[in-house]
Amino acid sequence: MAITELLLHPVRLRVVHALSGGRVLTTAQLCERMPEVPKVTMYRQVGLLVEADFLEVAEEHRVRGAVERHYRLRPNRPVVDADAAAAMSLDDHRRGFVAAMAVLIAEFDAYLDRDGADPVADGVSYRQGTFWLSPDELAELSGELFTVLAPRLANQPAADRAPYLLSPILFPTETEQEHPAEARS
């Protein structure tokens, strides 16, 4: 299964999010985090991620005669790189965006359903803004964002840290022909 096909599925994408940041979870723990996903579906999706070398078994334990596997993301897992993204059709990009939004909505709902959820105290933000950028300015902005975020990606879980989901979405909202004449000067 191609990496884009693998990740364009909302449950598989949620599993990847759940295991990010070095977390190790069992399928049962994944089911607890996503109670709306039937257990059979969860086991099937985890199996597909293992078969595709996206997940690996971190450890195994015998529990009441059965083997309980703890999964983690493989450090050298496949990624959707620039070449894979360029090979995607417009429909693939549409499906990818829908899957990403479904995951974002499900994760936000799960957050709000937790005891003690406090969006203000937790620094929750879902603001949007429009930037007028040339192709060079867009490339510069992307580089600056990566420079700011890259060191934080190396953070490991700690007692004083909570995992935060950052989901930047960037796309042009108008074609060049739709820009007002005064904005193009």
Side-chain angles (χ1 to χ4, degrees):
M1 179 181 298
I3 184 64
T4 51
E5 179 83 15
L6 184 71
L7 291 179
L8 294 183
H9 189 280
V11 174
R12 290 191 292 263
L13 196 51
R14 286 188 70 197
V15 169
V16 169
H17 281 291
L19 293 170
S20 64
R23 286 180 284 213
V24 175
L25 299 170
T26 66
T27 307
Q29 289 170 318
L30 289 166
C31 288
E32 288 173 15
R33 290 176 66 103
M34 300 172 229
E36 71 284 357
V37 176
K39 286 184 180 186
V40 169
T41 299
M42 182 63 73
Y43 277 89
R44 183 173 51 247
Q45 301 310 325
V46 167
L48 287 170
L49 288 166
V50 170
E51 286 176 28
D53 288 331
F54 215 86
L55 302 183
E56 64 185 5
V57 176
E59 56 188 86
E60 294 180 330
H61 300 285
R62 275 228 176 268
V63 177
R64 294 184 291 277
V67 176
E68 180 181 68
R69 291 181 179 87
H70 296 248
Y71 297 98
R72 68 175 163 231
L73 293 174
R74 292 179 58 86
N76 59 343
R77 66 189 172 274
V79 296
V80 178
D81 58 15
D83 291 337
M88 291 170 61
S89 70
L90 294 179
D91 282 339
D92 289 338
H93 282 282
R94 185 174 285 112
R95 287 186 321 129
F97 186 80
V98 168
M101 292 303 96
V103 168
L104 193 58
I105 290 167
E107 293 295 330
F108 193 68
D109 281 344
Y111 160 73
L112 292 176
D113 290 342
R114 285 195 322 235
D115 287 340
D118 185 344
V120 174
D122 292 336
V124 171
S125 174
Y126 37 86
R127 295 180 182 99
Q128 295 179 342
T130 300
F131 301 90
W132 290 84
L133 304 169
S134 69
D136 289 342
E137 291 169 328
L138 176 59
E140 183 180 6
L141 175 64
S142 295
E144 290 169 351
L145 288 172
F146 180 77
T147 299
V148 168
L149 297 175
R152 300 298 188 269
L153 291 171
N155 285 357
Q156 296 298 311
D160 64 338
R161 288 187 175 142
Y164 280 78
L165 179 61
L166 177 64
S167 189
I169 301 165
L170 182 68
F171 59 90
T173 59
E174 300 174 3
T175 65
E176 190 173 325
Q177 293 80 20
E178 295 172 320
H179 295 177
E182 61 273 7
R184 285 186 270 156
S185 48

